[in-house]
Amino acid sequence: LNTLLGVGIGTPLGVCVNCAAPVAKGMHDAGARLETTLATIFSSPTLNIVIISMLFSIFPLYIIVIKLAFTVGFIVFLLPLLCRWVFSHERLATYHDSQCPIPSASQGSTDESWFAALQSVFVDLVRSLIYIGARTIPLMLLAGLLGAIVANVMPLTEMVAKETTLLSLMTVALIGIFLPVPVAFDIVVVAVLITAGAPMAYSMTLLFTLGIFSIYPFGIIWTSISRRVAITLTIVLVILGMAAGLVAQEFHRAELDEMFEYLEQQN
């Protein structure tokens, strides 16, 4: 239920994972359950209406089904299991009986004017904005710099032109997980790769990994929640991305075989 609550928050949020991470950090600091926090991060860039609409308008049905099946399976089913059995320490650390932070009449003064109250709220908002900006903007710039370096240094073009291997597939998945990209960037890039004739295994792996996580939310989870959570989520997403690529490759081969068989029958 807490995971579904995170999906309900993240899906209409509709921002990239890099923007959803600071939102989830604020939820975590406010005492939200770990399942809700993580589900918000992953559902915002993958399950919003714009992304779903683009998937159905660009890709074949089997790619859409694989993408959504692996994404929903990870968020709704695998993530709660990880929180319960693997992240149990971090899960219990964020679980507490929340108490109302607003003091009651017996705890504080009741003669504060509306102007003073609004002024206090405004000052708190400005302080919070400065706090978030000072800690997130340098990290976003660093993540963008690292992503640009990886995108230019890694021989992705040469790699996708070669035969698909588990090592090359894992490298593509790691690149997709590492790069901090804007929302829907994964759909545009993968559509171009498929049109250019890139292997379906690499294309599907990038379609799953490129938008769901990056080095920036990895760093926020590392510092705000725990290193174990950040590393485990990265490993799980890399494995799922590779599995999605292999499944898509088999469906693509079956589709090609059916097409060739049909052409032979016509001839």
Side-chain angles (χ1 to χ4, degrees):
L1 291 177
N2 284 286
T3 302
L4 293 177
L5 175 62
V7 173
I9 296 172
T11 299
L13 192 62
V15 296
C16 70
V17 69
N18 309 294
C19 297
V23 175
K25 181 185 183 303
M27 294 169 55
H28 176 267
D29 293 343
R33 293 289 292 267
L34 182 61
E35 301 93 328
T36 305
T37 301
L38 296 179
T40 301
I41 294 178
F42 295 120
S43 63
S44 177
T46 57
L47 298 180
N48 65 79
I49 187 63
V50 175
I51 296 299
I52 302 298
S53 302
M54 292 180 68
L55 283 173
F56 277 92
S57 62
I58 295 177
F59 296 109
L61 182 60
Y62 74 94
I63 294 180
I64 300 170
V65 172
I66 294 172
K67 161 73 172 177
L68 293 180
F70 274 82
T71 302
V72 174
F74 167 70
I75 297 175
V76 178
F77 298 103
L78 189 55
L79 197 58
L81 293 177
L82 289 173
C83 291
R84 183 174 181 86
W85 301 111
V86 181
F87 308 147
S88 57
H89 177 73
E90 291 83 1
R91 178 171 171 265
L92 293 175
T94 59
Y95 176 70
H96 59 273
D97 294 327
S98 299
Q99 296 181 352
C100 182
I102 302 176
S104 62
S106 60
Q107 293 174 311
S109 176
T110 59
D111 57 355
E112 184 180 28
S113 65
W114 278 101
F115 177 77
L118 292 174
Q119 185 181 24
S120 176
V121 170
F122 178 77
V123 171
D124 287 340
L125 287 175
V126 171
R127 288 176 179 174
S128 299
L129 179 62
I130 295 174
Y131 175 85
I132 292 174
R135 284 158 177 79
T136 59
I137 293 177
L139 288 176
M140 294 187 74
L141 293 175
L142 177 61
L145 176 63
L146 293 175
I149 293 174
V150 171
N152 286 276
V153 171
M154 295 300 295
L156 186 60
T157 305
E158 299 177 3
M159 191 164 48
V160 298
K162 298 180 180 179
E163 184 179 357
T164 304
T165 63
L166 288 179
L167 180 60
S168 61
L169 197 61
M170 183 176 66
T171 304
V172 172
L174 287 171
I175 293 175
I177 289 294
F178 184 88
L179 293 178
V181 298
V183 67
F185 183 81
D186 51 337
I187 295 178
V188 176
V189 169
V190 172
V192 173
L193 287 176
I194 293 177
T195 304
M200 182 56 64
Y202 295 138
S203 300
M204 187 68 234
T205 298
L206 283 177
L207 186 61
F208 177 80
T209 59
L210 197 55
I212 199 171
F213 205 49
S214 76
I215 184 63
Y216 181 61
F218 174 88
I220 288 184
I221 293 175
W222 179 289
T223 56
S224 301
I225 301 176
S226 80
R227 301 176 180 178
R228 179 173 61 172
V229 173
I231 294 174
T232 303
L233 290 175
T234 301
I235 295 174
V236 170
L237 289 173
V238 167
I239 294 174
L240 289 177
M242 295 174 62
L246 294 174
V247 172
Q249 186 179 47
E250 293 302 317
F251 272 91
H252 185 64
R253 287 176 179 173
E255 189 178 68
L256 290 178
D257 291 341
E258 290 181 3
M259 183 180 66
F260 288 143
E261 183 179 352
Y262 173 77
L263 293 176
E264 289 178 357
Q265 291 176 355
Q266 293 296 318
N267 293 330

